Every structure is written in C-alpha cells, then in structure tokens.
Amino acid sequence: MGGAFWRKARKLARLLGNPAFRRGLRFGVAAAIEHRTILGALPVATVIDVGANTGQFSLLAASLYRNAAIHAVEPLPAAAAVFTRLFADSARVRLYRVAAGAGAANAPLHVSRRHDCSSLLPIAGGQTDFAPGTEAVGTITVPVRPLDELIAPDDLVRPVLLKLDVQGGELQALQGAGRLLAAVDHVYVEVSFLPLYDGQPLAHAVVEHLAGQGFGLAGTNHPTFDRAGRCVQVDLLFSRLPAAATHLHGRPATEPGLRENGLRETALTEAGQEAETAPYPPIAAASSPSLAMASPADCGRT
C-alpha cells in the first residue's frame, strides 16, 4: 500500500510539471507517463490508440510526438465523452467510438466496477483476485469493428505506432488488422501471463501472431506481479524486422493530415446500442451516438 501511494505521488508531481498534463488532470485524465521512457525515442508520425479510455495514452502521445496524427478507438460512452472534451480543440485527433475486434458484430461488453477494466470477455476470478473492486456490474451492447474497416493504410503517415490495451481482446483486435499491420512500424501491447478474463489469449499467442506478421520483440515495460510474486502482465514493444519489411503504405509526410476543425469523431449507430447498465447512464445523442468498449490504460496496475 505504501509503495503504491508513493508511486502515485511521484507520478502526480511529474504530471503537474507539464502544462498539457496539468490540463488533462482538470478533466480527470492522468497522462500515461509510465510509457514515456520506452516510447520517447521512437520516430512516430501516426499513433493508433486502441483502448483509448479517457485519453491517458493519447495525451502522452500528443506530448511525445508533437506533429503526429492520433487515431483513437474507445466506444465506452462515459470514457469517450471525457476523451472528446479533452481533445475538443485538437485538429490531429480522431475518435472512433467502437470496439476493435476480429470481425464486425454487435457484442456484449462486460462493464467493470472500475470502468477501465471492462472487456468484451467475461471478467474472471483471476482479474478480481489480482485487482479487487473490478468485478462486473452490468453489460451493454456495443458495436465491434475490425481495424481494417476503420482505418485505411493509405491514409497513414509513417512511421506508425499501434498501441493496444483492451483487457484480453488484444489478439482479436490484431486479427482484424491484417492489412493495417502492413503499414505499422511499431506495436505496443499489454499482454497477460495468467488468465484474467474468460477465454483470454495469453502472451505467447500475441507474440506468435506478431512474429508471423514480421514483428520482433524490441522491449518490455511496466511488469506487474500478484501477491504470490508471479508476473501477471507486462507491456511489450514490437518493431518491424527489416527482413520482413513489406511495401510501404501511407501518404508522404508532407501531405495534410486530419482536418483542421478540431476533434473528428466516427460513430456507428445501429440497432441494439440502446442497452445500458446502471453505472453508465446513456449520454445525449449529440455527444454519444454509440456505445463502446472500455480499453484501459492501467486496469489493476499502479
């Protein structure tokens, strides 16, 4: 308990030293600066933030990569509403209010008491043991779309960083990004060594999939351990191997990026999206035309 308190205190002190991060705190968003060291030296022109939640990672990315376009995927209404307010004045940020998956469907999202631990997979005992207070409190129906359907490789300026943190759904999101991955240079993904959600693919399956797509492991960050001392989760950085380089998709960096009139949003309105759960009352249609999957920055981690 004491160690966690001081880690949070040190993080708060660092956030207060950065004007952009101080602004995030006014919206209740703490920039995910724990990823700054491993990612700061990467040359990045486009960020795809899958599991954007309220904007923790996108806020860090906007600071690290000052001219990068950011595509964020976050369909949970409460989180997406905060994200929208935080980046309302940003011309280079686009928000997609859908869940990333292997195919197109409507699916139940299992909403956690701590919303950033919500998942398309049922929350298992492993998760609630690892992070007490993250049990399911309800479900909502959300639209699921493959990343290949949301983002065209030719619309991306390289180098591209793809970040995934979707509570056990990382492999399914990658399976829906076959064409997109050909235009991606780095993948930063949270993986688990122990099952936290029912049916969750574990770390080895994610590593094998990315290896088959021409990526090699380039670094590790932020491991977390349970009370027995077992490593439960870690963030892995993959980079495209030179020998496996494919045709370079994407626009030249000199072409204009996203439109210049603030945050762009892509929202899917479909039947079945009106289902809701008590802790998350529906947001007005003007600001939340669809529901989405919670994809936390740090569920159960300090």
Side-chain angles (χ1 to χ4, degrees):
M1 179 68 71
F5 171 82
W6 288 112
R7 282 194 297 273
K8 291 178 180 179
R10 287 193 295 269
K11 178 174 179 176
L12 177 60
R14 292 194 293 269
L15 293 173
L16 290 172
N18 181 302
F21 298 163
R22 285 201 303 272
R23 180 176 181 275
L25 291 174
R26 291 202 296 272
F27 291 87
V29 179
I33 58 175
E34 58 271 19
H35 308 294
R36 182 166 51 188
T37 300
I38 192 170
L39 299 177
L42 294 180
V44 172
T46 302
V47 176
I48 303 171
D49 181 1
V50 181
N53 198 239
T54 56
Q56 300 96 320
F57 188 87
S58 288
L59 188 58
L60 172 69
S63 175
L64 289 179
Y65 315 120
R66 296 299 178 88
N67 298 310
I70 298 174
H71 297 261
V73 179
E74 177 50 63
L76 188 68
V82 175
F83 188 104
T84 299
R85 293 193 296 272
L86 177 61
F87 291 101
D89 297 327
S90 178
R92 58 191 175 109
V93 178
R94 180 171 185 168
L95 176 64
Y96 304 81
R97 293 184 179 227
V98 301
N106 288 334
L109 170 69
H110 303 271
V111 180
S112 169
R113 183 172 301 281
R114 189 178 140 183
H115 65 82
D116 65 353
C117 296
S118 305
S119 176
L120 289 175
L121 301 174
I123 300 172
Q127 169 64 27
T128 54
D129 289 344
F130 175 57
T134 59
E135 67 275 7
V137 294
T139 60
I140 56 177
T141 300
V142 303
V144 181
R145 294 294 180 269
L147 291 173
D148 277 347
E149 184 179 302
L150 297 178
I151 304 170
D154 289 340
D155 291 340
L156 302 178
V157 179
R158 298 185 70 168
V160 176
L161 169 65
L162 169 62
K163 167 263 184 184
L164 301 110
D165 183 355
V166 288
Q167 300 311 292
E170 290 78 13
L171 181 59
Q172 289 83 356
L174 287 168
Q175 290 170 340
R179 293 190 302 275
L180 184 67
L181 279 175
V184 169
D185 301 279
H186 308 284
V187 178
Y188 189 57
V189 56
E190 181 187 70
V191 298
S192 298
F193 299 103
L194 300 174
L196 305 178
Y197 299 85
D198 289 342
Q200 175 183 5
L202 296 182
H204 67 275
V206 176
V207 173
E208 288 173 2
H209 182 84
L210 286 170
Q213 297 293 319
F215 290 89
L217 185 61
T220 65
N221 187 47
H222 200 208
T224 54
F225 302 84
D226 65 11
R227 290 184 293 273
R230 298 174 297 181
C231 186
V232 178
Q233 292 181 315
V234 70
D235 297 313
L236 300 181
L237 175 64
F238 295 83
S239 294
R240 182 165 294 284
L241 298 171
T246 58
H247 173 70
L248 300 184
H249 296 275
R251 300 194 313 261
T254 54
E255 290 192 21
L258 301 175
R259 74 185 186 188
E260 298 178 356
N261 58 342
L263 175 72
R264 298 175 60 193
E265 291 192 42
T266 298
L268 300 181
T269 302
E270 299 187 14
Q273 293 179 22
E274 298 303 322
E276 60 195 78
T277 184
Y280 298 101
I283 298 173
S287 64
S288 179
S290 65
L291 301 180
M293 171 175 148
S295 311
D298 253 342
C299 174
R301 307 169 76 182
T302 56

